[in-house]
Amino acid sequence: MFGDRWRMSDVRKENNSYVCSRKINNMTTAHDIIKYMETLRNDEQRSVLMRFFKTAPGEYGEGDAFLGIKVPQTREVVKHVWRDCPQEEIPRLLTNEWHEVRLCGLLILVKLFENSATKRLTDDAYAIRRRDNILSLYLQYARHANNWDLVDMSAPKILGHWLTLPSHLGDRMYKQQMVDTLAVSPSLWEQRISMVCTWMTSRQGNPSWCLRYAEMHLHHPHYLMHKAVGWMLREMGKQVSMDLLRNFLIQHATEMPRTMLRYAIEKMDEEERKNWMQKG
């Protein structure tokens, strides 16, 4: 759903999916989950992922370690363990050396948050505390979401969703200060969280978050942030108002990195795209 249009085949197409599901159902601790995921290691796929996520020296994912597990396989694990895995076990997943295990921990947090954020529970005091606790845990370990896929599959559905809901932690200003802290962090991944989380706020009809952090990151030096800002501006235009997007471009198109501009105007017609690119 999120990220640079990355897709993987579905684990349910594999012959052993039922056997694996039976094993997963017996796991409740981080140790159990990690050991099971290590049995799914695929060295051929591991090499592909390490190249794709730029893990070579000097690249943005330098040193990241992969098992070679496809995303649908990780989601299959999450589907069977998220209800029974104690929240105190999740940090062991979030700090694990394996990329896919960290993703598993993040997706468990997503499921837990969504389970406490249904329409019926929006104003429920216990659910609000539960969501606040999950959000705090997510932010505590945010730097371990250290690649774009980990950010993109978690930030909108945890932080972004939390921004749209009641909280006991603080009001709108408190929430803004929290995201501002991420935006000015020295961590590229925390900066990306501050931008990508606005997918959810735009989806809920509020463009202010996207516009604020798009301006803050307008001159960011890294192309991953150029893509993130352009992507979120595009989504804001699609979900809220194309006129708001055009107004932003009128003010900033001449100073936007070309990748950012290209992503932002992607859903416009060809003639309009050409006009904006000539201004960039």
Side-chain angles (χ1 to χ4, degrees), residues 149-168:
D149 63 316
L150 302 180
V151 170
D152 296 359
M153 284 191 272
S154 62
K157 293 188 174 183
I158 300 177
L159 176 57
H161 200 171
W162 178 80
L163 293 175
T164 71
L165 296 167
S167 170
H168 293 322

PDB file of all heavy atoms in Angstrom, residues 149-168:
ATOM      1  N   ASP A 149      10.389   1.362   3.883  1.00  0.00           N
ATOM      2  CA  ASP A 149       9.221   0.480   3.960  1.00  0.00           C
ATOM      3  C   ASP A 149       8.718   0.347   5.391  1.00  0.00           C
ATOM      4  O   ASP A 149       7.511   0.298   5.640  1.00  0.00           O
ATOM      5  CB  ASP A 149       9.542  -0.901   3.378  1.00  0.00           C
ATOM      6  CG  ASP A 149      10.631  -1.626   4.173  1.00  0.00           C
ATOM      7  OD1 ASP A 149      11.642  -0.987   4.537  1.00  0.00           O
ATOM      8  OD2 ASP A 149      10.481  -2.836   4.424  1.00  0.00           O
ATOM      9  N   LEU A 150       9.640   0.318   6.358  1.00  0.00           N
ATOM     10  CA  LEU A 150       9.253   0.222   7.764  1.00  0.00           C
ATOM     11  C   LEU A 150       8.491   1.473   8.188  1.00  0.00           C
ATOM     12  O   LEU A 150       7.502   1.387   8.934  1.00  0.00           O
ATOM     13  CB  LEU A 150      10.495   0.034   8.635  1.00  0.00           C
ATOM     14  CG  LEU A 150      11.371  -1.180   8.322  1.00  0.00           C
ATOM     15  CD1 LEU A 150      12.571  -1.227   9.268  1.00  0.00           C
ATOM     16  CD2 LEU A 150      10.578  -2.475   8.420  1.00  0.00           C
ATOM     17  N   VAL A 151       8.941   2.624   7.723  1.00  0.00           N
ATOM     18  CA  VAL A 151       8.238   3.877   8.018  1.00  0.00           C
ATOM     19  C   VAL A 151       6.872   3.905   7.343  1.00  0.00           C
ATOM     20  O   VAL A 151       5.849   4.174   7.973  1.00  0.00           O
ATOM     21  CB  VAL A 151       9.078   5.085   7.549  1.00  0.00           C
ATOM     22  CG1 VAL A 151       8.262   6.381   7.625  1.00  0.00           C
ATOM     23  CG2 VAL A 151      10.346   5.221   8.377  1.00  0.00           C
ATOM     24  N   ASP A 152       6.857   3.586   6.059  1.00  0.00           N
ATOM     25  CA  ASP A 152       5.639   3.783   5.267  1.00  0.00           C
ATOM     26  C   ASP A 152       4.508   2.841   5.671  1.00  0.00           C
ATOM     27  O   ASP A 152       3.328   3.171   5.513  1.00  0.00           O
ATOM     28  CB  ASP A 152       5.947   3.606   3.781  1.00  0.00           C
ATOM     29  CG  ASP A 152       6.908   4.656   3.244  1.00  0.00           C
ATOM     30  OD1 ASP A 152       7.325   5.535   4.027  1.00  0.00           O
ATOM     31  OD2 ASP A 152       7.256   4.591   2.051  1.00  0.00           O
ATOM     32  N   MET A 153       4.856   1.670   6.193  1.00  0.00           N
ATOM     33  CA  MET A 153       3.823   0.725   6.594  1.00  0.00           C
ATOM     34  C   MET A 153       3.367   0.916   8.037  1.00  0.00           C
ATOM     35  O   MET A 153       2.456   0.229   8.491  1.00  0.00           O
ATOM     36  CB  MET A 153       4.299  -0.714   6.365  1.00  0.00           C
ATOM     37  CG  MET A 153       4.259  -1.115   4.901  1.00  0.00           C
ATOM     38  SD  MET A 153       4.516  -2.884   4.625  1.00  0.00           S
ATOM     39  CE  MET A 153       6.297  -2.931   4.508  1.00  0.00           C
ATOM     40  N   SER A 154       3.990   1.853   8.746  1.00  0.00           N
ATOM     41  CA  SER A 154       3.622   2.052  10.155  1.00  0.00           C
ATOM     42  C   SER A 154       3.219   3.478  10.493  1.00  0.00           C
ATOM     43  O   SER A 154       2.242   3.701  11.214  1.00  0.00           O
ATOM     44  CB  SER A 154       4.780   1.624  11.068  1.00  0.00           C
ATOM     45  OG  SER A 154       5.944   2.410  10.826  1.00  0.00           O
ATOM     46  N   ALA A 155       3.921   4.467   9.982  1.00  0.00           N
ATOM     47  CA  ALA A 155       3.694   5.854  10.404  1.00  0.00           C
ATOM     48  C   ALA A 155       2.270   6.352  10.149  1.00  0.00           C
ATOM     49  O   ALA A 155       1.663   6.956  11.046  1.00  0.00           O
ATOM     50  CB  ALA A 155       4.712   6.784   9.739  1.00  0.00           C
ATOM     51  N   PRO A 156       1.689   6.140   8.967  1.00  0.00           N
ATOM     52  CA  PRO A 156       0.327   6.653   8.761  1.00  0.00           C
ATOM     53  C   PRO A 156      -0.698   5.986   9.665  1.00  0.00           C
ATOM     54  O   PRO A 156      -1.618   6.644  10.156  1.00  0.00           O
ATOM     55  CB  PRO A 156       0.048   6.337   7.283  1.00  0.00           C
ATOM     56  CG  PRO A 156       1.392   6.168   6.659  1.00  0.00           C
ATOM     57  CD  PRO A 156       2.241   5.556   7.731  1.00  0.00           C
ATOM     58  N   LYS A 157      -0.526   4.688   9.909  1.00  0.00           N
ATOM     59  CA  LYS A 157      -1.547   3.936  10.631  1.00  0.00           C
ATOM     60  C   LYS A 157      -1.381   3.995  12.144  1.00  0.00           C
ATOM     61  O   LYS A 157      -2.286   3.590  12.878  1.00  0.00           O
ATOM     62  CB  LYS A 157      -1.545   2.488  10.156  1.00  0.00           C
ATOM     63  CG  LYS A 157      -2.001   2.353   8.712  1.00  0.00           C
ATOM     64  CD  LYS A 157      -2.189   0.909   8.317  1.00  0.00           C
ATOM     65  CE  LYS A 157      -2.776   0.805   6.914  1.00  0.00           C
ATOM     66  NZ  LYS A 157      -3.034  -0.599   6.521  1.00  0.00           N
ATOM     67  N   ILE A 158      -0.256   4.498  12.616  1.00  0.00           N
ATOM     68  CA  ILE A 158      -0.087   4.689  14.062  1.00  0.00           C
ATOM     69  C   ILE A 158      -0.072   6.189  14.371  1.00  0.00           C
ATOM     70  O   ILE A 158      -1.054   6.735  14.866  1.00  0.00           O
ATOM     71  CB  ILE A 158       1.182   3.990  14.580  1.00  0.00           C
ATOM     72  CG1 ILE A 158       1.114   2.466  14.318  1.00  0.00           C
ATOM     73  CG2 ILE A 158       1.336   4.243  16.087  1.00  0.00           C
ATOM     74  CD1 ILE A 158       2.362   1.705  14.728  1.00  0.00           C
ATOM     75  N   LEU A 159       1.019   6.868  14.042  1.00  0.00           N
ATOM     76  CA  LEU A 159       1.107   8.300  14.364  1.00  0.00           C
ATOM     77  C   LEU A 159       0.054   9.102  13.607  1.00  0.00           C
ATOM     78  O   LEU A 159      -0.637   9.942  14.190  1.00  0.00           O
ATOM     79  CB  LEU A 159       2.509   8.820  14.046  1.00  0.00           C
ATOM     80  CG  LEU A 159       2.729  10.325  14.244  1.00  0.00           C
ATOM     81  CD1 LEU A 159       2.394  10.752  15.660  1.00  0.00           C
ATOM     82  CD2 LEU A 159       4.166  10.708  13.879  1.00  0.00           C
ATOM     83  N   GLY A 160      -0.067   8.868  12.309  1.00  0.00           N
ATOM     84  CA  GLY A 160      -1.026   9.628  11.525  1.00  0.00           C
ATOM     85  C   GLY A 160      -2.447   9.454  12.018  1.00  0.00           C
ATOM     86  O   GLY A 160      -3.204  10.427  12.139  1.00  0.00           O
ATOM     87  N   HIS A 161      -2.816   8.219  12.326  1.00  0.00           N
ATOM     88  CA  HIS A 161      -4.164   7.944  12.824  1.00  0.00           C
ATOM     89  C   HIS A 161      -4.356   8.582  14.201  1.00  0.00           C
ATOM     90  O   HIS A 161      -5.418   9.165  14.480  1.00  0.00           O
ATOM     91  CB  HIS A 161      -4.386   6.434  12.882  1.00  0.00           C
ATOM     92  CG  HIS A 161      -5.822   6.042  12.904  1.00  0.00           C
ATOM     93  ND1 HIS A 161      -6.257   4.747  12.773  1.00  0.00           N
ATOM     94  CD2 HIS A 161      -6.959   6.781  13.046  1.00  0.00           C
ATOM     95  CE1 HIS A 161      -7.577   4.695  12.835  1.00  0.00           C
ATOM     96  NE2 HIS A 161      -8.022   5.909  13.003  1.00  0.00           N
ATOM     97  N   TRP A 162      -3.345   8.495  15.037  1.00  0.00           N
ATOM     98  CA  TRP A 162      -3.414   9.078  16.379  1.00  0.00           C
ATOM     99  C   TRP A 162      -3.669  10.584  16.318  1.00  0.00           C
ATOM    100  O   TRP A 162      -4.406  11.135  17.152  1.00  0.00           O
ATOM    101  CB  TRP A 162      -2.117   8.785  17.128  1.00  0.00           C
ATOM    102  CG  TRP A 162      -2.028   9.361  18.506  1.00  0.00           C
ATOM    103  CD1 TRP A 162      -2.586   8.867  19.656  1.00  0.00           C
ATOM    104  CD2 TRP A 162      -1.322  10.547  18.889  1.00  0.00           C
ATOM    105  NE1 TRP A 162      -2.276   9.676  20.723  1.00  0.00           N
ATOM    106  CE2 TRP A 162      -1.493  10.706  20.281  1.00  0.00           C
ATOM    107  CE3 TRP A 162      -0.558  11.477  18.187  1.00  0.00           C
ATOM    108  CZ2 TRP A 162      -0.928  11.770  20.978  1.00  0.00           C
ATOM    109  CZ3 TRP A 162       0.007  12.538  18.878  1.00  0.00           C
ATOM    110  CH2 TRP A 162      -0.180  12.676  20.265  1.00  0.00           C
ATOM    111  N   LEU A 163      -3.089  11.262  15.335  1.00  0.00           N
ATOM    112  CA  LEU A 163      -3.282  12.705  15.204  1.00  0.00           C
ATOM    113  C   LEU A 163      -4.736  13.078  14.971  1.00  0.00           C
ATOM    114  O   LEU A 163      -5.159  14.199  15.283  1.00  0.00           O
ATOM    115  CB  LEU A 163      -2.431  13.253  14.049  1.00  0.00           C
ATOM    116  CG  LEU A 163      -0.913  13.200  14.220  1.00  0.00           C
ATOM    117  CD1 LEU A 163      -0.221  13.661  12.939  1.00  0.00           C
ATOM    118  CD2 LEU A 163      -0.448  14.027  15.407  1.00  0.00           C
ATOM    119  N   THR A 164      -5.507  12.159  14.437  1.00  0.00           N
ATOM    120  CA  THR A 164      -6.914  12.445  14.109  1.00  0.00           C
ATOM    121  C   THR A 164      -7.874  12.086  15.234  1.00  0.00           C
ATOM    122  O   THR A 164      -9.084  12.313  15.100  1.00  0.00           O
ATOM    123  CB  THR A 164      -7.341  11.668  12.849  1.00  0.00           C
ATOM    124  OG1 THR A 164      -7.456  10.265  13.145  1.00  0.00           O
ATOM    125  CG2 THR A 164      -6.350  11.866  11.711  1.00  0.00           C
ATOM    126  N   LEU A 165      -7.360  11.539  16.338  1.00  0.00           N
ATOM    127  CA  LEU A 165      -8.205  10.980  17.392  1.00  0.00           C
ATOM    128  C   LEU A 165      -7.997  11.699  18.728  1.00  0.00           C
ATOM    129  O   LEU A 165      -6.952  12.335  18.943  1.00  0.00           O
ATOM    130  CB  LEU A 165      -7.889   9.489  17.567  1.00  0.00           C
ATOM    131  CG  LEU A 165      -8.204   8.583  16.374  1.00  0.00           C
ATOM    132  CD1 LEU A 165      -7.560   7.216  16.565  1.00  0.00           C
ATOM    133  CD2 LEU A 165      -9.714   8.448  16.183  1.00  0.00           C
ATOM    134  N   PRO A 166      -8.946  11.575  19.651  1.00  0.00           N
ATOM    135  CA  PRO A 166      -8.739  12.134  20.999  1.00  0.00           C
ATOM    136  C   PRO A 166      -7.548  11.475  21.690  1.00  0.00           C
ATOM    137  O   PRO A 166      -7.263  10.290  21.475  1.00  0.00           O
ATOM    138  CB  PRO A 166     -10.050  11.789  21.718  1.00  0.00           C
ATOM    139  CG  PRO A 166     -11.045  11.523  20.650  1.00  0.00           C
ATOM    140  CD  PRO A 166     -10.282  10.955  19.501  1.00  0.00           C
ATOM    141  N   SER A 167      -6.863  12.248  22.528  1.00  0.00           N
ATOM    142  CA  SER A 167      -5.705  11.738  23.264  1.00  0.00           C
ATOM    143  C   SER A 167      -5.683  12.343  24.656  1.00  0.00           C
ATOM    144  O   SER A 167      -6.052  13.514  24.847  1.00  0.00           O
ATOM    145  CB  SER A 167      -4.412  12.085  22.529  1.00  0.00           C
ATOM    146  OG  SER A 167      -3.281  11.813  23.336  1.00  0.00           O
ATOM    147  N   HIS A 168      -5.226  11.545  25.629  1.00  0.00           N
ATOM    148  CA  HIS A 168      -5.029  12.061  26.976  1.00  0.00           C
ATOM    149  C   HIS A 168      -3.658  12.734  27.113  1.00  0.00           C
ATOM    150  O   HIS A 168      -3.390  13.371  28.134  1.00  0.00           O
ATOM    151  CB  HIS A 168      -5.116  10.921  28.001  1.00  0.00           C
ATOM    152  CG  HIS A 168      -6.485  10.318  28.119  1.00  0.00           C
ATOM    153  ND1 HIS A 168      -7.636  11.055  28.062  1.00  0.00           N
ATOM    154  CD2 HIS A 168      -6.876   9.022  28.308  1.00  0.00           C
ATOM    155  CE1 HIS A 168      -8.686  10.264  28.208  1.00  0.00           C
ATOM    156  NE2 HIS A 168      -8.254   9.027  28.355  1.00  0.00           N
TER     157      HIS A 168
END
